[in-house]
Amino acid sequence: MGRRGEWREAAPNAAGTAKRTGFPILFWEHDAHASIRAERTDPVEVPVATLIDGKIISAAVRAEVAASVARLKASGRRTPVLRVVLVGDDPASASYVRGKNRACHEVGMDGETLAFDAGLSEADLLALIARLNADPGVDGILVQLPLPAHIDEKKILRAISPAKDVDCFHPENVGHLVTGEAGFRPATPAGIMELLSRSGIPTRGARAVVLGRSNIVGKPMANLLVQKGVDATVTVCHSRTRDLPSVTREADILIAAIGVAHFVTADMVKPGATVIDVGINRLDDPSHERGYRLVGDVDFAAVEPIAGAITPVPGGVGPMTIAMLLKNTLYACTGSFD
């Protein structure tokens, strides 16, 4: 136990969560109907949000994938093969791609980037995808977005074989997701589901609110949460949602994926809610070596004392995205996530 006025963080457990306790002067008391802010002058130890550590949970997922790949090799089968297509020299895209290739190699997969300058024509890119589709030695194909303006992203994504579409962007795979059929799952929403499951966050009957309706996160996230066996009641909010704070305050699980730094504030969160922050935003900060710092869509410092569990940025949802991409590549090779 720490001294008065200090916070102590316990060692994370196997699920990647840690309870933090301390002696704040202000604390929250709440029941099913109300939240009451009270003041105390004597030190009282109260729990603050459980930190959901995506680094620890993603490491567990990667270890499982690595074990599956090792079993494949031991049985005489080839390793899963992922080809990532990068067009242009966007620094963020190049960094993401390096991370994907490194992750592939760490779990024993064959990951390679096919890089082209920004002048690559749409026709040439389509021809490349056709060759990869026809290559039986390639299991997964991923085209890194965004693409240069002269290339139609929708046309490119629909050209990828649904059987090799490890991003789960092809309309056929999106249909499988919506209907609950077996198949690929979009990496970021699937990673969030792993965070909830492995952290012991109950979803059955829970009220879930998703901030954002993108095809990459918001819409597939809502679809995963309403699947049988998950059984959440889901509301999707967007820029036209009326009285947004009153909607988000009803959430037992609040997922922020709108791309606006510190958008979710304390008054938008129900005490005890689980808060999942998908956003990664740069804020100028001369005190940092790089001149900026990364923050999420949630005002972490303000929301953490209210939430029951929360993901940090960085180190929360981000690491899960690549981990789930590896699981999708394994599925493309074997037809199984195990």
Side-chain angles (χ1 to χ4, degrees):
M1 182 177 298
R3 296 186 301 275
R4 178 173 177 170
E6 290 187 344
W7 297 105
R8 177 178 64 84
E9 183 166 343
N13 59 27
T17 58
K19 285 283 189 181
R20 288 186 283 179
T21 58
F23 297 90
I25 298 301
L26 300 179
F27 74 108
W28 286 89
E29 294 180 335
H30 61 89
D31 56 27
H33 307 287
S35 296
I36 304 171
R37 186 172 183 267
E39 292 191 4
R40 296 187 62 103
T41 56
D42 58 314
V44 174
E45 186 169 5
V46 298
V48 293
T50 295
L51 193 67
I52 301 176
D53 193 327
K55 292 181 180 179
I56 291 176
I57 295 176
S58 67
V61 172
R62 291 191 191 203
E64 293 163 6
V65 172
S68 295
V69 172
R71 286 194 295 270
L72 279 177
K73 293 180 178 179
S75 67
R77 299 178 62 181
R78 66 170 177 80
T79 186
V81 175
L82 175 67
R83 293 294 176 259
V84 180
V85 180
L86 177 64
V87 182
D89 56 1
D90 178 73
S93 292
S95 176
Y96 295 149
V97 166
R98 285 194 299 270
K100 291 167 183 175
N101 283 338
R102 183 168 57 249
C104 281
H105 297 149
E106 287 173 353
V107 299
M109 290 183 178
D110 179 351
E112 182 182 346
T113 298
L114 307 176
F116 303 89
D117 64 46
L120 182 72
S121 71
E122 183 179 279
D124 285 342
L125 181 53
L126 287 169
L128 170 65
I129 291 172
R131 291 195 298 272
L132 293 173
N133 285 339
D135 186 344
V138 173
D139 300 302
I141 303 169
L142 186 154
V143 176
Q144 183 66 41
L145 302 179
L147 291 169
H150 66 279
I151 298 177
D152 185 337
E153 288 186 356
K154 286 186 178 180
K155 184 183 294 186
I156 297 303
L157 295 178
R158 292 184 181 190
I160 298 172
S161 166
K164 300 186 179 187
D165 170 38
V166 291
D167 259 339
C168 194
F169 289 162
H170 192 283
E172 182 175 321
N173 289 326
V174 174
H176 291 163
L177 166 67
V178 172
T179 58
E181 297 179 45
F184 299 121
R185 296 292 182 257
T188 298
I192 293 169
M193 296 304 297
E194 289 285 337
L195 290 176
L196 294 174
S197 175
R198 296 182 187 234
S199 300
I201 305 299
T203 58
R204 180 167 297 174
R207 180 71 182 272
V209 173
V210 180
L211 290 177
R213 53 181 171 181
S214 73
N215 291 331
I216 296 175
V217 179
K219 291 176 183 176
M221 189 74 252
N223 276 294
L224 288 175
L225 285 164
V226 298
Q227 297 292 335
K228 287 186 177 180
V230 181
D231 302 319
T233 300
V234 183
T235 300
V236 178
C237 297
H238 45 76
S239 59
R240 298 295 183 267
T241 299
R242 295 178 181 174
D243 194 8
L244 182 60
S246 71
V247 179
T248 59
R249 279 195 298 268
E250 295 179 359
D252 302 303
I253 300 170
L254 178 60
I255 299 171
I258 53 175
V260 179
H262 291 167
F263 181 86
V264 176
T265 51
D267 65 304
M268 299 173 68
V269 178
K270 179 171 73 173
T274 295
V275 181
I276 306 294
D277 193 347
V278 184
I280 301 179
N281 310 284
R282 290 188 180 188
L283 286 186
D284 292 337
D285 188 342
S287 68
H288 281 241
E289 182 178 349
R290 294 176 294 184
Y292 66 88
R293 57 191 171 92
L294 297 178
V295 300
D297 291 349
V298 176
D299 185 345
F300 185 91
V303 170
E304 184 198 23
I306 299 170
I310 191 170
T311 59
V313 174
V317 173
M320 296 301 299
T321 299
I322 291 181
M324 302 313 292
L325 171 65
L326 297 175
K327 289 197 73 169
N328 276 349
T329 304
L330 177 66
Y331 182 86
C333 179
T334 67
S336 172
F337 288 112
D338 300 318

